Amino acid sequence: MTNSEKKKTVNISACVFTLGERKMGSAVERTDEHVREYLIYRGFTGTLKHLDSDMKADKEKGFRVDKIIDQLQLFIQTFDLNGLKDYWGYLDRRLFCRLEDIYRPTVSKLRTSLFRYYVVYTVQLKNIEKTQEFFQRQAQELQGQPEWRDWFILPFMPAPEQNPLFSPYFSRQWSDTFLVSLHNFLSVFFLDCKPPQPVLLSFDSEVQRTTCLQEENDQLRHMIFLQGRLETQNKQEEMVHHKLPPYVQNMDRLGDTEL
């Protein structure tokens, strides 16, 4: 498979999972608005303030994978290593803990790639201070991990992007592949391993189903109306046609002199 074909496959996978997550995310967002509307109607202003505060601090982003990815990238782009570690730790404790043990290596690999993505970003932005800070603060944790053994020389290399050991991680293809892999993993997780759906979300899905059925019924009524109108028009044309003499019906076959 060529690089272009791989890229197309990656993009298609991302699109497929994005449709599912947006459907789930939009249901959560609609339900949030319904709850806010109810609290305003009931005059529960104190509860509403707490709800708005919790929604702003929502780390699960309404189960929207694109927003979770955006939050991770924001921590990286602002060199917020503490925020990045805390946020991934929250996802691990809150979400990934539901996975079977056979999936733990996958979670571990994604975490490793996430921090490599961060380190590479600090080097690309020539922020050597942040590069050194990462290895100083993570040294105790990473020293015992074979996949990080060669990375400790990274801050001291003049051009790591040209080194065969590190050059793949500085390519656009690697970063794109990692982000799509993380995106797809989270999307599958929310489709298969999310917490049991509350009654309110079931109500929202029922409303959406009823709305779709209503739209389909309206379309069918319109089609039946048009079909009936067309049949009526055809009958009227046939009646007019049969009232005319036979020679008039065949006038289109005659030449100019024969008329």
Side-chain angles (χ1 to χ4, degrees):
M1 184 181 291
T2 64
N3 290 336
S4 60
E5 290 173 337
K6 289 180 180 178
K7 192 171 183 180
K8 287 180 181 178
T9 303
V10 162
N11 290 338
I12 291 172
S13 300
C15 290
V16 169
F17 288 123
T18 299
L19 292 176
E21 87 188 41
R22 284 182 178 173
K23 184 177 180 180
M24 175 64 181
S26 60
V28 172
E29 290 169 356
R30 284 194 302 270
T31 305
D32 289 344
E33 286 304 311
H34 294 329
V35 173
R36 292 188 79 262
E37 183 181 28
Y38 175 77
L39 293 177
I40 293 173
Y41 172 77
R42 296 282 283 128
F44 296 154
T45 55
T47 306
L48 180 61
K49 288 180 180 179
H50 286 295
L51 175 65
D52 289 338
S53 177
D54 287 342
M55 288 174 62
K56 288 179 181 178
D58 177 25
K59 292 184 177 181
E60 295 173 17
K61 307 299 180 184
F63 305 108
R64 286 287 299 273
V65 176
D66 53 343
K67 292 186 177 182
I68 292 176
I69 299 293
D70 288 344
Q71 182 62 68
L72 290 170
Q73 287 190 293
L74 179 62
F75 287 132
I76 292 172
Q77 292 165 2
T78 56
F79 305 106
D80 187 355
L81 181 58
N82 282 337
L84 185 65
K85 290 175 58 179
D86 291 345
Y87 192 58
W88 183 266
Y90 172 84
L91 295 177
D92 198 9
R93 293 188 306 273
R94 177 77 170 88
L95 304 177
F96 305 150
C97 64
R98 301 193 187 102
L99 293 170
E100 297 179 16
D101 291 340
I102 58 173
Y103 299 109
R104 294 308 303 177
T106 301
V107 175
S108 179
K109 287 180 180 179
L110 288 172
R111 183 180 186 274
T112 297
S113 295
L114 178 68
F115 287 115
R116 284 178 174 175
Y117 186 81
Y118 172 84
V119 172
V120 168
Y121 184 78
T122 63
V123 175
Q124 289 175 327
L125 270 290
K126 302 187 185 303
N127 195 332
I128 190 65
E129 180 181 346
K130 291 295 182 180
T131 308
Q132 294 174 343
E133 177 195 44
F134 173 83
F135 287 102
Q136 289 169 358
R137 296 180 57 183
Q138 299 293 107
Q140 187 175 0
E141 177 184 348
L142 302 181
Q143 278 178 347
Q145 300 179 18
E147 59 268 25
W148 283 100
R149 183 176 58 246
D150 297 329
W151 283 72
F152 282 90
I153 64 172
L154 188 69
F156 309 102
M157 299 186 67
E161 67 277 2
Q162 299 177 9
N163 186 288
L165 181 63
F166 299 108
S167 59
Y169 300 99
F170 285 83
S171 67
R172 178 67 180 273
Q173 181 181 356
W174 182 84
S175 60
D176 287 349
T177 302
F178 161 65
L179 290 175
V180 171
S181 298
L182 178 59
H183 189 287
N184 289 349
F185 175 80
L186 290 171
S187 298
V188 172
F189 176 86
F190 284 131
L191 286 174
D192 296 337
C193 306
K194 60 181 178 292
Q197 183 169 280
V199 176
L200 279 177
L201 281 180
S202 301
F203 172 77
D204 178 85
S205 61
E206 184 64 25
V207 169
Q208 296 305 312
R209 189 180 72 85
T210 304
T211 302
C212 290
L213 288 175
Q214 184 64 45
E215 291 176 352
E216 290 178 3
N217 289 337
D218 291 342
Q219 291 177 356
L220 288 173
R221 287 196 197 96
H222 186 62
M223 290 175 62
I224 293 173
F225 170 76
L226 292 178
Q227 185 176 0
R229 191 173 179 182
L230 181 61
E231 290 176 355
T232 302
Q233 183 177 354
N234 290 338
K235 288 180 180 178
Q236 291 176 345
E237 290 177 353
E238 289 175 0
M239 289 175 62
V240 173
H241 182 71
H242 288 301
K243 286 181 180 180
L244 296 177
Y247 69 85
V248 177
Q249 298 179 29
N250 299 321
M251 284 180 65
D252 61 325
R253 303 176 186 175
L254 301 178
D256 293 341
T257 58
E258 296 174 310
L259 289 175

